[in-house]
Amino acid sequence: MPSSTGPSIDTITEGGRVTQVGEGQEAEETAPPVMTFGAPTVGELLAERYELVEHINNDSAGRLVWRGVDVVLRRPVAVVLRYPGGDSATEMLQAAVAASRVIHPNLVGVYDAIDEADRAYVVREWVDGQSLREMVAADGPLDPARATAIGNAVASALAAVHATGMVHGNLHPGTVMISDDGRVVLADARTDGADSQENDLRAVGGVLYFALTGHWPHGEAPLHGATAGHGRAALPDAVRDASGAIAAPRQVRAGVPAYLDDLTMDLLDPEIAPPSSDVLAAELSRLDVPADDHFLEPTGPLRFTAEPGEEPSPLAVAGGRKVAVGVAGLLAVALVGLLIGISMLGGDDKKQPKEPVARPSSSAPAGAGSTPAAQVRKLTIQDVRIIDPVGDRREVRDAEKVIDGDENEGWATATYRNHGKFGGLKKGMGIWIDLGAPHTVKSLQAVLSPGASAQLLAGTEDFPSSSSGDKDLVASYKTQIGQPFEKADGNRMTFTGFDPEQKYRYLLFWITELPKKDSGDGWKLEVQEITVQGS
């Protein structure tokens, strides 16, 4: 993994298939070719072992990239040469030596690094496939499951690098390689002292953003080591609002899960400290579920504070559910068998009960075709978001904490001055709820700070695709459920005025006034938990 100055687009055509070499930024098309005295030739044998087969390109750092063959082990290799060697090649050779010490399935292997004074070269693994940049350019943004899998592989590779105290320093869509057999590998690390492990983690957010949207969130001040490059290597800039802030993936493209959207944006937010690479890898690994298993329940939000092993994996949870269903099934079979046995032992038909064993519910309509009322249960909330028509991203984080089953933590507003109606800055804020499908709803209960005022609304509009759509969504939610709460004394609000003849999917818990803080210093509300009952 030699040094680099940015993305590459190094390619050759081999039997009609494009082969990628994730080295440094490719030289501009208008740049003159690099001419060196004693340049290598096809068939030349380096170090009596590495035969040069085909010249791929010259990158912007002045290195020559060749496809070669290790004649001893009979395997393809990539050979990166630099003229001259000696001091001018020190950084490249040091990066290669450091990279060779880290063995990981998601890192490109480095086999050799040789300095011959007049030239130096690094020999590394040859990857048949394409870079993430080319994959997205050819096929468009990836589906969330594929993006998660690639993010997991990249984070796992970084965890191995960081465990040695090193940094990668050059993570971007051009150095994330996807081989023809589906393996994801990270190439082209460098040893620039200005890089940091935090920058590596920020770059993971950029890779996720690019995979989900096809845009690179580099901005005018890109992350060091993760620049977009120039010329043919340039990447499309992220979608931005009038203030220059990048749009979240969910605002660019429909179907991105909330937890993946939040993770990506938090990694890109310089005000939020990223997790360590091993924690990030563990969290992404939990979500890296094969496409065939997507029928399982959502695994829940990602949290940077979680430690590996703190929560069960999606598959472990699924296994637990399957075991529970299996046991319930066995019990049901046993019960049916017992009832049949009792019926048979009864003998005389005259002793048989004239009434059915199970009567229809008293609330069900009379008649032979009556159907018992569906059992009321806790409904699964598929998605939850904060609606703030005039706010910023800081106040819309942590929405998932209101449905995590833990009443000890939740989502909170900012602290407002002057008075409880958001300091006169806005008319309200809301928690938007998606039940995943229409349901008969019996009640909604919110656990929150006492003294708040709120109402519950229902509508048919999905979460807006842009921040400007928040106002339109609030305006469209006109069906009020039950009566509003005005400065409620307790810490629980329960809304029960749902129409039994209607089905609901989207709800909006709309907050109109905040309670005064216990310290008396401003107004603030915390919502610890929201649950919905229905069938």
Side-chain angles (χ1 to χ4, degrees):
M1 274 183 281
S3 170
S4 169
T5 59
S8 78
I9 192 167
D10 310 331
T11 64
I12 66 169
T13 300
E14 186 183 58
R17 182 182 68 243
V18 174
T19 303
Q20 304 294 325
V21 182
E23 297 301 333
Q25 176 182 314
E26 187 181 32
E28 297 286 345
E29 293 186 31
T30 56
V34 177
M35 302 298 293
T36 57
F37 176 75
T41 58
V42 174
E44 182 177 354
L45 197 63
L46 304 181
E48 300 182 351
R49 178 169 184 171
Y50 307 110
E51 181 182 354
L52 300 180
V53 176
E54 186 173 6
H55 178 217
I56 307 306
N57 82 315
N58 301 333
D59 71 14
S60 61
R63 299 173 304 183
L64 285 67
V65 184
W66 279 73
R67 179 169 62 90
V69 175
D70 183 339
V71 298
V72 175
L73 298 179
R74 303 308 304 170
R75 64 182 177 185
V77 295
V79 183
V80 184
L81 299 100
R82 185 184 183 103
Y83 287 82
D87 292 342
S88 64
T90 297
E91 195 274 341
M92 181 185 81
L93 295 173
Q94 286 178 343
V97 171
S100 69
R101 297 170 183 163
V102 185
I103 307 300
H104 191 276
N106 298 121
L107 287 172
V108 167
V110 176
Y111 304 144
D112 216 338
I114 299 172
D115 185 7
E116 295 181 347
D118 59 333
R119 65 182 179 184
Y121 47 91
V122 172
V123 182
R124 69 157 177 83
E125 177 183 4
W126 177 265
V127 179
D128 280 329
Q130 58 186 332
S131 68
L132 175 62
R133 181 184 57 241
E134 281 209 340
M135 175 180 283
V136 172
D139 303 327
L142 309 183
D143 64 80
R146 183 61 171 143
T148 300
I150 290 175
N152 177 28
V154 170
S156 298
L158 285 181
V161 172
H162 292 177
T164 67
M166 298 188 301
V167 299
H168 185 275
N170 195 30
L171 173 57
H172 52 74
T175 55
V176 177
M177 312 294 294
I178 297 90
S179 69
D180 290 342
D181 60 4
R183 175 182 166 220
V184 179
V185 291
L186 187 53
D188 201 13
R190 65 184 185 189
T191 58
D192 189 335
D195 291 312
S196 67
Q197 293 187 1
E198 179 175 334
N199 282 348
D200 280 350
L201 292 161
R202 302 291 185 200
V204 176
V207 166
L208 285 171
Y209 191 96
F210 179 80
L212 291 168
T213 68
H215 297 271
W216 180 244
H218 58 81
E220 296 180 359
L223 295 172
H224 185 64
T227 55
H230 304 283
R232 288 183 294 171
L235 300 173
D237 188 16
V239 178
R240 301 175 185 275
D241 61 20
S243 65
I246 62 174
R250 281 169 63 91
Q251 296 174 320
V252 177
R253 176 188 175 201
V256 178
Y259 56 80
L260 190 58
D261 182 88
D262 287 338
L263 171 67
T264 301
M265 294 302 288
D266 285 346
L267 285 171
L268 294 172
D269 191 336
E271 296 185 5
I272 299 179
S276 61
S277 53
D278 56 342
V279 169
L280 179 60
E283 294 289 356
L284 284 169
S285 178
R286 289 179 14 189
L287 294 173
D288 187 5
V289 181
D292 292 343
D293 292 337
H294 283 176
F295 64 87
L296 301 177
E297 292 180 6
T299 59
L302 294 174
R303 292 191 183 85
F304 288 170
T305 56
E307 295 296 334
E310 183 175 273
E311 297 181 37
S313 71
L315 296 179
V317 173
R321 288 197 301 275
K322 292 175 183 176
V323 170
V325 170
V327 172
L330 290 174
L331 290 175
V333 171
L335 178 59
V336 171
L338 179 61
L339 292 175
I340 293 174
I342 292 174
S343 175
M344 293 179 66
L345 290 173
D348 192 351
D349 291 342
K350 295 180 181 180
K351 297 180 181 180
Q352 297 301 317
K354 295 182 180 180
E355 295 290 341
V357 174
R359 295 175 180 268
S361 169
S362 60
S363 62
S370 298
T371 302
Q375 184 179 3
V376 176
R377 59 184 173 84
K378 179 181 177 181
L379 299 178
T380 299
I381 297 177
Q382 297 291 340
D383 195 6
V384 60
R385 307 287 287 182
I386 304 302
I387 297 291
D388 187 5
V390 295
D392 57 30
R393 265 194 57 80
R394 295 185 185 90
E395 210 168 1
V396 301
R397 297 175 183 141
D398 299 328
E400 69 280 353
K401 291 185 178 180
V402 305
I403 59 171
D404 62 0
D406 184 0
E407 294 187 7
N408 293 319
E409 63 175 1
W411 165 79
T413 68
T415 298
Y416 290 83
R417 308 297 177 186
N418 300 325
H419 54 76
K421 293 190 175 182
F422 297 90
L425 300 175
K426 62 184 75 173
K427 294 182 178 180
M429 291 183 65
I431 300 176
W432 175 84
I433 296 165
D434 179 7
L435 298 176
H439 288 273
T440 299
V441 181
K442 298 297 183 182
S443 66
L444 178 145
Q445 183 179 85
V447 180
L448 70 175
S449 310
S453 297
Q455 59 182 316
L456 184 62
L457 304 170
T460 59
E461 296 295 322
D462 199 348
F463 189 77
S465 60
S466 64
S467 58
S468 61
D470 283 12
K471 293 180 181 179
D472 297 334
L473 183 142
V474 174
S476 70
Y477 277 49
K478 299 178 180 179
T479 303
Q480 181 171 299
I481 308 298
Q483 296 298 317
F485 283 80
E486 298 293 338
K487 298 184 179 180
D489 293 333
N491 67 340
R492 293 177 188 269
M493 290 184 182
T494 303
F495 296 87
T496 58
F498 291 89
D499 185 345
E501 302 299 323
Q502 296 291 327
K503 290 186 180 294
Y504 303 84
R505 174 174 176 176
Y506 302 119
L507 302 172
L508 178 61
F509 180 73
W510 186 248
I511 304 155
T512 55
E513 188 168 359
L514 308 175
K516 197 172 185 64
K517 294 173 62 177
D518 292 339
S519 63
D521 183 20
W523 286 260
K524 180 179 181 178
L525 173 67
E526 182 173 359
V527 181
Q528 285 86 10
E529 198 71 18
I530 290 180
T531 55
V532 180
Q533 298 285 332
S535 58

Short mmCIF file of all heavy atoms in Angstrom, two decimals, residues 342-363:
data_model
loop_
_atom_site.label_atom_id
_atom_site.label_comp_id
_atom_site.label_asym_id
_atom_site.label_seq_id
_atom_site.Cartn_x
_atom_site.Cartn_y
_atom_site.Cartn_z
N ILE A 342 -60.00 -34.82 26.20
CA ILE A 342 -61.11 -34.61 27.13
C ILE A 342 -62.44 -34.85 26.43
O ILE A 342 -63.37 -35.46 26.95
CB ILE A 342 -61.04 -33.19 27.73
CG1 ILE A 342 -59.82 -33.07 28.63
CG2 ILE A 342 -62.31 -32.87 28.50
CD1 ILE A 342 -59.59 -31.67 29.14
N SER A 343 -62.53 -34.35 25.16
CA SER A 343 -63.77 -34.52 24.40
C SER A 343 -64.07 -35.99 24.17
O SER A 343 -65.20 -36.45 24.30
CB SER A 343 -63.65 -33.77 23.07
OG SER A 343 -64.77 -34.01 22.26
N MET A 344 -63.05 -36.77 23.84
CA MET A 344 -63.25 -38.19 23.57
C MET A 344 -63.62 -38.95 24.83
O MET A 344 -64.43 -39.88 24.81
CB MET A 344 -61.99 -38.79 22.94
CG MET A 344 -61.68 -38.24 21.55
SD MET A 344 -60.19 -38.94 20.85
CE MET A 344 -60.71 -40.65 20.67
N LEU A 345 -63.03 -38.56 25.97
CA LEU A 345 -63.33 -39.24 27.22
C LEU A 345 -64.72 -38.90 27.72
O LEU A 345 -65.28 -39.59 28.57
CB LEU A 345 -62.29 -38.86 28.29
CG LEU A 345 -60.87 -39.43 28.05
CD1 LEU A 345 -59.91 -38.86 29.07
CD2 LEU A 345 -60.88 -40.95 28.12
N GLY A 346 -65.33 -37.82 27.21
CA GLY A 346 -66.66 -37.43 27.67
C GLY A 346 -67.69 -38.47 27.35
O GLY A 346 -68.67 -38.65 28.06
N GLY A 347 -67.52 -39.22 26.26
CA GLY A 347 -68.40 -40.35 25.93
C GLY A 347 -69.75 -39.92 25.44
O GLY A 347 -69.95 -39.58 24.29
N ASP A 348 -70.78 -39.92 26.33
CA ASP A 348 -72.19 -39.70 25.99
C ASP A 348 -72.39 -38.34 25.37
O ASP A 348 -72.01 -37.33 25.94
CB ASP A 348 -73.03 -39.85 27.26
CG ASP A 348 -74.52 -39.91 26.94
OD1 ASP A 348 -74.87 -39.68 25.76
OD2 ASP A 348 -75.29 -40.20 27.87
N ASP A 349 -73.04 -38.32 24.18
CA ASP A 349 -73.31 -37.05 23.53
C ASP A 349 -74.18 -36.15 24.37
O ASP A 349 -74.12 -34.94 24.26
CB ASP A 349 -73.99 -37.27 22.17
CG ASP A 349 -73.04 -37.90 21.18
OD1 ASP A 349 -71.81 -37.83 21.42
OD2 ASP A 349 -73.53 -38.43 20.18
N LYS A 350 -75.03 -36.74 25.26
CA LYS A 350 -75.94 -35.92 26.06
C LYS A 350 -75.17 -35.07 27.06
O LYS A 350 -75.68 -34.09 27.56
CB LYS A 350 -76.93 -36.81 26.81
CG LYS A 350 -77.88 -37.58 25.89
CD LYS A 350 -78.84 -38.45 26.68
CE LYS A 350 -79.77 -39.22 25.76
NZ LYS A 350 -80.71 -40.08 26.53
N LYS A 351 -73.93 -35.50 27.36
CA LYS A 351 -73.15 -34.75 28.34
C LYS A 351 -72.31 -33.67 27.69
O LYS A 351 -71.59 -32.96 28.36
CB LYS A 351 -72.23 -35.71 29.10
CG LYS A 351 -73.01 -36.74 29.91
CD LYS A 351 -72.06 -37.66 30.65
CE LYS A 351 -72.82 -38.72 31.46
NZ LYS A 351 -71.90 -39.63 32.18
N GLN A 352 -72.38 -33.59 26.36
CA GLN A 352 -71.59 -32.57 25.69
C GLN A 352 -72.18 -31.20 25.96
O GLN A 352 -73.40 -31.04 25.99
CB GLN A 352 -71.59 -32.81 24.17
CG GLN A 352 -70.93 -34.14 23.78
CD GLN A 352 -69.50 -34.20 24.26
OE1 GLN A 352 -68.78 -33.22 24.13
NE2 GLN A 352 -69.09 -35.33 24.82
N PRO A 353 -71.37 -30.16 26.17
CA PRO A 353 -71.90 -28.82 26.41
C PRO A 353 -72.65 -28.32 25.19
O PRO A 353 -72.25 -28.55 24.05
CB PRO A 353 -70.64 -27.98 26.67
CG PRO A 353 -69.54 -28.73 26.02
CD PRO A 353 -69.89 -30.19 26.15
N LYS A 354 -73.77 -27.67 25.44
CA LYS A 354 -74.58 -27.13 24.35
C LYS A 354 -74.02 -25.82 23.84
O LYS A 354 -74.34 -25.39 22.74
CB LYS A 354 -76.02 -26.93 24.83
CG LYS A 354 -76.72 -28.25 25.18
CD LYS A 354 -78.15 -28.01 25.59
CE LYS A 354 -78.84 -29.34 25.92
NZ LYS A 354 -80.26 -29.13 26.34
N GLU A 355 -73.21 -25.13 24.66
CA GLU A 355 -72.60 -23.87 24.24
C GLU A 355 -71.18 -24.14 23.75
O GLU A 355 -70.51 -25.06 24.23
CB GLU A 355 -72.54 -22.89 25.42
CG GLU A 355 -73.89 -22.45 25.93
CD GLU A 355 -74.59 -21.54 24.96
OE1 GLU A 355 -73.90 -20.98 24.08
OE2 GLU A 355 -75.81 -21.40 25.05
N PRO A 356 -70.72 -23.39 22.79
CA PRO A 356 -69.33 -23.57 22.34
C PRO A 356 -68.37 -23.25 23.48
O PRO A 356 -68.66 -22.47 24.36
CB PRO A 356 -69.19 -22.56 21.19
CG PRO A 356 -70.26 -21.55 21.43
CD PRO A 356 -71.40 -22.32 22.05
N VAL A 357 -67.20 -23.90 23.42
CA VAL A 357 -66.20 -23.68 24.47
C VAL A 357 -65.78 -22.22 24.52
O VAL A 357 -65.59 -21.65 25.57
CB VAL A 357 -64.98 -24.59 24.21
CG1 VAL A 357 -63.88 -24.28 25.20
CG2 VAL A 357 -65.40 -26.06 24.33
N ALA A 358 -65.61 -21.59 23.36
CA ALA A 358 -65.19 -20.19 23.31
C ALA A 358 -66.32 -19.36 22.74
O ALA A 358 -66.77 -19.60 21.62
CB ALA A 358 -63.95 -20.03 22.44
N ARG A 359 -66.82 -18.40 23.51
CA ARG A 359 -67.87 -17.51 23.03
C ARG A 359 -67.27 -16.33 22.28
O ARG A 359 -66.18 -15.88 22.61
CB ARG A 359 -68.68 -16.96 24.22
CG ARG A 359 -69.44 -18.03 24.99
CD ARG A 359 -70.09 -17.38 26.20
NE ARG A 359 -70.84 -18.35 26.98
CZ ARG A 359 -72.12 -18.60 26.80
NH1 ARG A 359 -72.78 -17.95 25.85
NH2 ARG A 359 -72.76 -19.48 27.54
N PRO A 360 -67.99 -15.81 21.30
CA PRO A 360 -67.53 -14.59 20.64
C PRO A 360 -67.47 -13.45 21.64
O PRO A 360 -68.21 -13.44 22.62
CB PRO A 360 -68.57 -14.32 19.55
CG PRO A 360 -69.27 -15.64 19.36
CD PRO A 360 -69.23 -16.32 20.69
N SER A 361 -66.55 -12.50 21.38
CA SER A 361 -66.45 -11.33 22.25
C SER A 361 -67.77 -10.59 22.27
O SER A 361 -68.48 -10.48 21.27
CB SER A 361 -65.32 -10.41 21.75
OG SER A 361 -65.37 -9.19 22.40
N SER A 362 -68.10 -10.04 23.44
CA SER A 362 -69.36 -9.31 23.58
C SER A 362 -69.41 -8.09 22.69
O SER A 362 -70.47 -7.58 22.36
CB SER A 362 -69.56 -8.89 25.04
OG SER A 362 -68.49 -8.06 25.45
N SER A 363 -68.23 -7.59 22.28
CA SER A 363 -68.19 -6.41 21.42
C SER A 363 -68.36 -6.76 19.96
O SER A 363 -68.51 -5.89 19.12
CB SER A 363 -66.86 -5.66 21.62
OG SER A 363 -65.78 -6.50 21.26
#
